[in-house]
Amino acid sequence: MDGTEGKWYPLDGVKSGKILLSADFLDKLGRNANDLIPGLLKGGDLSDPNGRRNSTNPEKSNPSALHGNVPGGIIPKGKAKLNLIKAKDLIQADKNSKSDPYAVLLYGKQVEKTKVIPNSHEPQWNHEAEFDVPDGDERSFYIEVFDSDKIGQDTSLGNLTLDITDVLSMDGKDGQWFPLKGVKSGKVLLSADFIDELGRNASEILPSLLKGGDPNDPYGLSGRKKSSDPFNKSGLGGNGQGESLPEGLARIKLVKAKELINSDIVGKS
């Protein structure tokens, strides 16, 4: 109820009657309910509701194909937009001249290709590619940069593989540099957005995906008892999964009631 104007709850033990309640909660660290509920529903550490303790390193908070092993899980359904902005420090494929770089982006059977930038080691493409996710069981996005040759086969200037978690973790950022593999030097600057079929963005999906859970149920609510009773085991009342309760100050405001039973036959209550 924290932050809401009020919520109606039915009274038990009578044929009719409801009360309107509003509430606020502030823990001893100054955090409100929105900061605490995700950790509380998962049975996690309430002093670290987002599971980020002991790490400001994105490689630890967002394991991926670049950073380590990713738990296998259901791939979210939606649209992934990758913007290949530019590259820098590309190797010189031609000894006598600069490269003419372009890039190919692949996800599953879907392929996108940038324009060729002539005579440059720091090409700027600003190429936005949109991919339907999932494509089969594919989790990885593959990018390879080439030097366009008029004669003979185009030369690879490096490649990059991104797990779906890498794409999700970039959502909302202006851009992130990634080193190219298979070459001595070279980086590409990428940005990304992701919207699933329910209209949710990456921040709502990533926590569950990193734990190998169902991205369609990011806070692990599926299978919980559905009831208007605020004292069931839904995590909104009761102890949920038996985790420790947060320490703080709870303010509950009993606003009003309606549809109360008539306890006096002659008059109102």
Side-chain angles (χ1 to χ4, degrees):
M1 284 190 289
D2 189 25
T4 63
E5 295 180 359
K7 184 176 180 179
W8 285 100
Y9 291 92
L11 296 172
D12 288 335
V14 287
K15 292 182 178 180
S16 66
K18 299 178 182 180
I19 55 174
L20 180 63
L21 296 172
S22 65
D24 291 297
F25 185 86
L26 200 65
D27 82 347
K28 62 182 181 180
L29 298 178
R31 296 170 302 178
N32 60 29
N34 290 332
D35 298 315
L36 298 171
I37 284 178
L40 188 63
L41 293 180
K42 295 179 198 174
D45 182 356
L46 295 178
S47 63
D48 185 29
N50 294 316
R52 294 172 183 167
R53 174 171 287 173
N54 299 328
S55 176
T56 56
N57 186 342
E59 296 185 1
K60 294 181 180 179
S61 61
N62 291 317
S64 69
L66 298 179
H67 310 140
N69 292 325
V70 179
I74 300 173
I75 300 173
K77 296 179 181 179
K79 297 280 188 181
K81 293 181 181 179
L82 280 178
N83 184 13
L84 180 51
I85 302 169
K86 60 183 177 180
K88 67 178 181 180
D89 303 329
L90 295 177
I91 62 170
Q92 185 171 336
D94 299 324
K95 294 182 179 179
N96 298 323
S97 64
K98 291 183 179 180
S99 301
D100 301 322
Y102 70 93
V104 176
L105 302 88
L106 301 95
Y107 173 69
K109 297 179 180 179
Q110 304 168 69
V111 182
E112 289 268 350
K113 181 180 176 181
T114 72
K115 60 186 177 182
V116 175
I117 306 297
N119 199 34
S120 175
H121 286 160
E122 296 190 358
Q124 185 150 345
W125 295 293
N126 289 316
H127 182 89
E128 186 172 280
E130 183 173 287
F131 298 100
D132 293 320
V133 179
D135 191 329
D137 295 327
E138 185 60 63
R139 291 181 60 92
S140 299
F141 294 78
Y142 182 78
I143 300 171
E144 187 162 5
V145 181
F146 293 93
D147 174 26
S148 179
D149 290 325
K150 294 181 180 179
I151 301 176
Q153 186 175 0
D154 292 351
T155 305
S156 177
L157 302 179
N159 63 77
L160 171 67
T161 300
L162 296 171
D163 186 78
I164 182 66
T165 54
D166 291 296
V167 175
L168 293 175
S169 66
M170 282 191 287
D171 189 38
K173 297 180 181 178
D174 291 334
Q176 184 173 343
W177 286 100
F178 291 92
L180 294 170
K181 292 184 178 181
V183 286
K184 292 182 179 179
S185 67
K187 299 177 181 179
V188 291
L189 181 62
L190 293 168
S191 66
D193 292 296
F194 186 89
I195 297 292
D196 80 349
E197 61 181 359
L198 300 177
R200 298 172 302 176
N201 60 28
S203 63
E204 298 174 274
I205 301 169
L206 192 57
S208 175
L209 192 62
L210 291 177
K211 293 186 176 183
D214 183 353
N216 296 318
D217 183 29
Y219 294 112
L221 298 176
S222 64
R224 289 181 178 268
K225 181 180 178 182
K226 294 183 180 180
S227 172
S228 59
D229 178 3
F231 299 104
N232 62 27
K233 300 299 183 181
S234 67
L236 300 179
N239 287 336
Q241 299 181 15
E243 61 282 342
S244 60
L245 295 176
E247 297 181 24
L249 182 63
R251 295 187 180 94
I252 298 177
K253 182 179 180 181
L254 179 52
V255 183
K256 60 183 178 179
K258 68 179 180 180
E259 302 172 8
L260 297 177
I261 62 171
N262 188 3
S263 60
D264 297 327
I265 299 177
V266 177
K268 294 182 178 181
S269 301

